Amino acid sequence: MKFTTVDQVQQSLAQANYIASKEIATVIFLALATDKPVLIEGPAGVGKTELAKAVATSLERRLIRLQCYEGLDEAKALYEWEYAKQLLYTQMIKERINTVIKDADTLSEAVERIASQEDAFFSERFIQPRPLLQAILSPDPVVLLIDEVDKSDPEFEAFLLELLSDFQVTIPEIGTRKPVTIPIVLLTSNNYRDMSDALKRRCIHLYIDYPTQEREMEIVRMKLPGIEERLARQMIDAVTRIRNLDLKKKPCISESLDWARALMALKTEELTPDRVKDTLNIVLKYHEDTALARQAVNEIVG
């Protein structure tokens, strides 16, 4: 394992432009030490996907990402048969196939003879690996990100259990495929629905909430080194007050960074009520939330 201490993980993630708390660094350290997947839950936009990217960067591993959605099935996540390639090969060896079946007395016998050769057509030669199989078969260790797993159907979540338990997958036509190297697996969830107990048992659980003001300040300083200290502090104070409103969608870290970039582009030196009103659309994504924030703009500026 590349890291021998939690502090090393924290420092390496920082070098990959990710400010990790001690808790986050500890979870990543333990995931590497125990080969356990990590289920990362929390509001959208708090850095769950970015953590996976930073882990891949810090470990110098390739990141393989599976984006989950409703209706995702094994064919899209694991593998697909290359039917066009199979058909092409069939045409190329047509004469050989005719030789195999030429002495068959009945259609059933001809089918049986062709079926006895099906291993030639259902082999790894004709498989198109999708993200999960790519991670299993990769000769080099990778980071596998299963993003927004809560958007997938419960049936797909159940399918993942074999992978998360044994890091292996079963392909009915050719059998079980075990990993060449053990990937580090990170699953993210925005709590669109609850994950099953079976999945949680197989993972180390990590909840990432909105950052503290101090941590958010560190992130803003790292991502936008040119921002004025006073403006950054004012903006983060304002974001914190906005999050305390009764909103449909609270602003996340990426929206704080977008707001900071917008304020810098507008050459803002001080956050005023008028400037907040003019730029709220960067931070809030629902009309009701924007209207509520406009009413409370004096409190937001402080």
Side-chain angles (χ1 to χ4, degrees):
M1 191 173 75
K2 180 177 179 179
F3 304 117
T4 55
T5 67
V6 172
D7 288 343
Q8 283 183 346
V9 175
Q10 200 168 19
Q11 292 165 11
S12 184
L13 290 174
Q15 290 170 0
N17 290 331
Y18 189 93
I19 304 296
S21 66
K22 196 79 169 182
E23 179 189 15
I24 291 173
T26 301
V27 166
I28 297 302
F29 177 84
L30 293 176
L32 289 165
T34 62
D35 290 332
K36 292 274 285 186
V38 181
L39 172 61
I40 311 168
E41 294 189 297
V46 294
K48 301 186 293 296
T49 301
E50 289 303 311
L51 174 58
K53 294 177 181 177
V55 169
T57 300
S58 63
L59 292 170
E60 299 179 330
R61 294 187 183 186
R62 182 164 67 104
L63 176 70
I64 296 178
R65 178 174 180 171
L66 173 64
Q67 180 63 51
C68 296
Y69 53 87
E70 189 175 346
L72 176 65
D73 58 18
E74 295 178 27
K76 298 296 183 188
L78 186 59
Y79 70 95
E80 286 185 289
W81 290 108
E82 291 190 282
Y83 294 116
K85 188 175 179 181
Q86 288 172 323
L87 181 60
L88 176 63
Y89 273 60
T90 302
Q91 295 297 323
M92 293 170 64
I93 61 172
K94 189 175 180 180
E95 289 186 7
R96 180 61 180 166
I97 294 174
N98 289 335
T99 301
V100 171
I101 64 174
K102 69 176 182 180
D103 297 330
D105 295 326
T106 65
L107 181 60
S108 297
E109 185 180 352
V111 170
E112 285 297 324
R113 290 187 181 186
I114 292 175
S116 67
Q117 307 294 321
E118 66 181 12
D119 287 351
F121 292 95
F122 289 97
S123 63
E124 291 187 11
R125 182 190 302 277
F126 297 106
I127 280 183
Q128 178 65 51
R130 297 304 182 193
L132 297 183
L133 191 57
Q134 288 174 15
I136 292 294
L137 299 180
S138 174
D140 300 314
V142 300
V143 174
L144 173 61
L145 168 62
I146 303 176
D147 212 8
E148 298 184 338
V149 66
D150 52 322
K151 289 185 177 176
S152 66
D153 300 318
E155 292 78 9
F156 182 77
E157 183 186 329
F159 159 74
L160 286 176
L161 296 181
E162 182 185 14
L163 173 73
L164 299 178
S165 296
D166 305 317
F167 294 103
Q168 66 180 29
V169 293
T170 300
I171 300 174
E173 295 87 348
I174 59 177
T176 299
R177 289 294 176 266
K178 295 183 179 298
V180 178
T181 57
I182 300 293
I184 177 169
V185 183
L186 303 177
L187 305 93
T188 72
S189 167
N190 295 333
N191 298 322
Y192 179 74
R193 66 174 175 83
D194 290 336
M195 297 291 95
S196 69
D197 290 343
L199 184 138
K200 287 186 174 181
R201 276 199 305 274
R202 287 161 171 80
C203 300
I204 300 174
H205 184 260
L206 173 64
Y207 188 88
I208 300 180
D209 206 345
Y210 296 108
T212 62
Q213 286 190 311
E214 290 72 21
R215 182 165 172 255
E216 192 156 23
M217 189 69 183
E218 286 185 71
I219 295 170
V220 170
R221 284 196 193 110
M222 180 183 67
K223 299 286 186 182
L224 301 169
I227 192 169
E228 293 292 335
E229 182 81 6
R230 182 165 177 266
L231 177 62
R233 178 61 65 188
Q234 278 187 316
M235 187 210 68
I236 289 171
D237 288 345
V239 168
T240 301
R241 295 184 187 111
I242 291 173
R243 286 179 184 144
N244 288 332
L245 298 176
D246 185 19
L247 302 175
K248 188 173 182 179
K249 166 71 172 64
K250 298 179 187 296
C252 60
I253 295 172
S254 61
E255 283 151 353
S256 295
L257 292 170
D258 287 344
W259 198 18
R261 290 190 186 96
L263 295 173
M264 292 172 70
L266 292 168
K267 303 188 184 308
T268 305
E269 295 180 354
E270 182 178 4
L271 203 58
T272 63
D274 285 341
R275 183 63 86 194
V276 171
K277 287 179 182 177
D278 292 341
T279 54
L280 272 177
N281 290 333
I282 303 293
V283 188
L284 299 173
K285 307 302 180 184
Y286 290 91
H287 175 69
E288 300 89 334
D289 291 348
T290 304
L292 183 61
R294 285 179 187 279
Q295 292 174 8
V297 68
N298 290 326
E299 299 171 26
I300 291 171
V301 174

